[in-house]
Amino acid sequence: MKYTEFGLVNTRAMFADAIARKYAVPAFNFYNMETLNAILSATRATHGPVILAASQSAIKYMGDEMLMGLIRGANIGPDEQIALHLDHGGSVDACIRAIDMGFSSVMIDASKLPFEQNIEITKSVVEYAHAHNVSVEAELGTLSGIEDENTQSNTSSYTNPDDVVKFVTATGIDSLAIAIGTSHGAYKRQSDDEELRFDILQSVAEKLPNFPLVLHGASQIPAHLVQTINKFGGDMPNARGIAPQQLRRATEMNICKINVDSDLRIAMTAAVRASLATNPANFNPREYLGAGTKEMTNVCIDEIKNIMGSDNKLPLIS
Ligand code: G3H
Ligand code: 13P
Ligand code: ZN
């Protein structure tokens, strides 16, 4: 099915606008009705573009037809800018499958392979995707943490700025994910003083002027929500994310897509734990899942306004 039939767009116009007006388009991960509703409510309340990101494991969890049924049920209108993006696609086949399902954007993540192999695989995806007017993200350097339930890495390697021009030119990608010290999951830093490698970002941005760069592993892991989780029976004592001021600084340096998954997980978990603990007699999931959806919506609105700066950008002007 072609993505335009769902009212979706690819990421090109939104990235051009984000680069020109120095903000980042949020890419929030979804995997069920609650996460999708929270992301859409926040986006619609703040009038900006958004990327709905689904990993391969999220697609498997929802099932292809249910996923696309949810997207159809979103009733995306012509005045909206909403992309459906495959997050961390692990193979050329996975990307082709997503495009054929109706995704408008794909990430091919061959970042753990040798440079030349990463180029070859990425090129194959670009060839198929561009023939279908679908945008492509690829990655150079690796992040630690869980990138997908099948891909877990305990090591990270920063992006080498000397590689980026050759990679982008040889592959024809539309955006590039870079590794500057972020990581996936809820345990990103030992202390609040740890800085991202802005020197690497600066150097990449100079070598690729006006080219869309992407930051993965960018959740803030809000301390008040971690406290709620721990207060109501959770066990996440050292959870710590990326400081908001560092994320904002990145958006001024050509980072025009910021990926957030863990913050929604934290918000849902905190609200569900609090709801169940304070209403022990309740056994109606609509109540605690409703509380979770509300908390996730709040987190999305906060990040859209205070981190991404993507609010009030519709219609796009650049
Ligand atoms: O960066 C990847 C996301 O956090 C996806 O995680 O495979 O558990 O959906 P997931
Ligand atoms: P977080 O784990 O920081 O939310 O990162 C999500 C991500 O990069 C999805 O691709
Ligand atoms: Zn990621």
Side-chain angles (χ1 to χ4, degrees):
M1 191 87 70
K2 182 76 187 161
Y3 64 81
T4 46
E5 290 175 32
F6 297 87
L8 296 161
V9 295
N10 68 30
T11 57
R12 272 176 219 133
M14 55 177 90
F15 284 171
D17 197 63
I19 289 278
R21 294 203 269 172
K22 292 202 180 304
Y23 66 93
V25 179
F28 293 117
N29 286 73
F30 76 102
Y31 33 83
N32 59 11
M33 186 190 77
E34 284 77 13
T35 40
L36 183 60
N37 272 343
I39 299 164
L40 289 172
S41 307
T43 303
R44 287 170 171 160
T46 52
H47 313 289
V50 77
I51 296 168
L52 304 170
S55 65
Q56 280 175 246
S57 45
I59 296 173
K60 195 168 150 203
Y61 180 75
M62 287 182 273
D64 300 9
E65 303 226 332
M66 187 61 80
L67 191 168
M68 295 316 298
L70 286 171
I71 296 294
R72 192 175 288 291
N75 277 326
I76 299 169
D79 297 336
E80 297 189 277
Q81 283 282 317
I82 300 181
L84 177 63
H85 174 79
L86 174 67
D87 193 26
H88 294 283
S91 65
V92 179
D93 280 354
C95 293
I96 290 176
R97 217 174 144 264
I99 293 166
D100 292 347
M101 270 172 73
F103 280 59
S104 61
S105 172
V106 292
M107 174 190 191
I108 173 69
D109 184 355
S111 59
K112 288 178 196 68
L113 297 176
F115 184 67
E116 294 298 337
Q117 254 173 284
N118 189 352
I119 289 182
E120 282 319 303
I121 289 175
T122 302
K123 258 168 75 174
S124 309
V125 172
V126 168
E127 198 178 315
Y128 190 85
H130 284 184
H132 293 78
N133 205 18
V134 165
S135 26
V136 179
E137 171 185 331
E139 181 170 318
L140 273 180
T142 51
L143 276 67
S144 65
I146 299 166
E147 292 203 324
D148 184 270
E149 69 183 15
N150 302 315
T151 17
Q152 180 156 7
S153 168
N154 293 322
T155 53
S156 64
S157 63
Y158 295 117
T159 303
N160 181 351
D162 292 338
D163 289 341
V164 299
V165 172
K166 180 174 176 192
F167 189 76
V168 167
T169 313
T171 57
I173 51 170
D174 303 281
S175 61
L176 177 69
I178 57 168
I180 58 166
T182 58
S183 61
H184 292 103
Y187 303 90
K188 300 183 191 299
R189 297 178 307 143
Q190 314 281 346
S191 86
D192 288 333
D193 303 330
E194 279 174 42
E195 276 254 329
L196 298 178
R197 289 291 303 272
F198 287 104
D199 56 324
I200 297 177
L201 173 53
Q202 173 84 32
S203 173
V204 172
E206 277 165 15
K207 286 172 193 285
L208 295 173
N210 295 328
F211 188 80
L213 303 176
V214 177
L215 201 58
H216 282 249
S219 278
Q220 295 175 71
I221 315 296
H224 71 284
L225 295 177
V226 173
Q227 267 168 25
T228 304
I229 289 174
N230 291 335
K231 178 175 166 190
F232 293 112
D235 185 17
M236 303 185 71
N238 299 314
R240 189 178 279 110
I242 311 292
Q245 57 274 23
Q246 295 201 39
L247 295 170
R248 277 195 294 272
R249 188 171 161 198
T251 65
E252 285 159 16
M253 299 169 70
N254 287 9
I255 291 291
C256 70
K257 170 173 177 271
I258 291 190
N259 286 20
V260 169
D261 182 359
S262 298
D263 281 347
L264 275 68
R265 299 183 186 200
I266 295 276
M268 173 60 107
T269 303
V272 169
R273 280 193 180 280
S275 174
L276 289 173
T278 50
N279 305 293
N282 175 48
F283 70 108
N284 182 352
R286 289 197 296 259
E287 284 189 23
Y288 52 81
L289 294 179
T293 303
K294 206 166 157 203
E295 195 64 79
M296 291 191 294
T297 307
N298 291 341
V299 163
C300 290
I301 290 177
D302 173 67
E303 296 191 351
I304 285 168
K305 288 185 173 174
N306 298 318
I307 304 291
M308 323 276 175
S310 59
D311 51 319
N312 296 317
K313 295 296 185 292
L314 298 183
L316 305 179
I317 56 171
S318 304

